[in-house]
Amino acid sequence: MNRKNPIILLVATLLIVACQPAEKKKTKKTKPNIVFIFSDDHAYQAISAYGGILKDYAPTPNIDRIATDGMLFNRCLVTNSICGPSRATILSGKYGHLNGFVSNEGGTKFDGSQITFPKLLQESGYKTGIVGKWHLGSDPTGFDYWEVLPGQGSYYNPVFKTAAGEHTETGYVTELITEKAINYMEEAREGDQPFLLMLQHKAPHREWEPGPRELALYKDVTFPEPPTLFDTYENRGKAAKEQDMSIELTMRLDRDLKLFENEKLGTTARLNEQQEEDWDKVYDPIIDYFNNAKLEGDELIRFKYQRYMQDYLACIASVDKGVGKVLDYLKEKGLDENTIVIYSSDQGFYLGEHGWFDKRFMYEESLRTPLLVKWPGVTRPGSVNNNLVSNLDFAQTFLEIAGTAEHDEMQGQSIVPLLTGNSPDNWRMEHYYHYYEYPSWHMVKRHYGIATERYKLMHFYHDVDEWEMYDLETDPNEMNNIYGHASYADVQTDLHQRLEQLRVKYQDSDELTEEYLQKSLKRLKHMK
């Protein structure tokens, strides 16, 4: 009889309608979005949140916002201090000797058929996208959207590659990548899926070409010199002495420092006539000064260091502005409370320390990479972590954030417990490193080693057989090799034992090392 009562039918209908939005809201985007901002060759010394001698000269206020609202990691160490292998480790959660990508050279291509964290996030319901630098040879896999730079990419008027092919865009690469990232988030936020964005900048990679808005930013600034700028490599082995990455000898006056005699822009494509005029206004006086000053010796090194810093840090200023735009966008759209923002780089970089630029060595400036994480409601604002973490851990971390089970092929540890303020009893006390790319760019010899909170032990091999050991507590600049010193005999023995245990744990070996060496030598032979 009640079925015919119109009032009861109306109430029942309204109840059904009222319940529908609540049900939809309940299932919509319960997992956090992940925005992973990744730059190329960004030294932790060039982020003001890390302190250091540059913080008052070239601040990074927007990257610092991530540290202010979240957690800064002081000891994030890479498995191999070079671009492609670092990216391959992040994607796969495995060391290069297992994911197959140990070197940028020889046309190496990342095997996109293997398990990667973006694929697993896709399977768990995430929309995935990557924009910017890729540098892994093959096309990206595991992404719903990808738009990447072929190879190293260009700072000005860059080519972008998608599944549909390549196209050239007018503009400055950092600004274009930021714009594409925001466009992706604008589209992704409209759906019911949480999203992953890998926003990967080319900057501040060599040749450090500043954007049109930052050209003159530091032209009148004199930066403080690192205390080891004039290092003579006493008490070190052949590797430090025979490298080819010194500011004095390796850094080029034209392409690196823009002191072109004829074509002022060199490989840099013009944006328009006004920007070419702006370029001339900045660099012509520097060229005139250099031609008249006739610098040599230490004064030439000092001049080159200042020019290097002016351009390198101007590139970072553009990246920092882009980070600010991303953070502002998330807040404006109400996404910030359910979005994890991570900032990192493929490895560290030398900013004149030991007289160097570039990376590759297991010494501190290139082994350490910046890592800052903002996770509202989880990370305590302004917190600092000193545990040994690694780019090997990123994949497992993203999986745990997404509520996805760890994959048994992956070798890292999720840092989610650390982000919550807890330090598990079984957290790593040592880190394993292995660099392979020799002979090649910058001629840094092959080596592997172990880093603990206080000590480092490394073995340089192939054309040498030398061990180095450093006590970071008494020698933070790593100026004195203490390998073989009687006073450190027990420490040395312990480090050797732990190093061998790490090689077993991560499935590295002398046999595998020799296999990669012979492949490299065979490639070099064919190139001659």
Side-chain angles (χ1 to χ4, degrees), residues 429-447:
M429 300 302 292
E430 54 274 307
H431 171 78
Y432 181 60
Y433 179 87
H434 199 155
Y435 173 79
Y436 298 82
E437 197 174 290
Y438 177 89
S440 187
W441 287 92
H442 299 299
M443 301 301 285
V444 172
K445 298 183 186 297
R446 294 167 181 258
H447 59 293

Side-chain angles (χ1 to χ4, degrees), residues 24 130 161 239 315 389 419 433 449 469 487 509:
K24 184 176 181 181
I130 182 170
K161 183 179 182 181
C315 290
V389 301
L419 292 171
Y433 179 87
M469 191 169 88
S487 58
S509 64

Side-chain angles (χ1 to χ4, degrees), residues 252-264:
R252 302 164 299 192
L253 291 169
D254 49 10
R255 293 180 62 186
D256 290 330
L257 303 183
K258 326 302 184 295
L259 303 185
F260 300 104
E261 293 184 4
N262 298 311
E263 185 63 37
K264 293 187 178 64

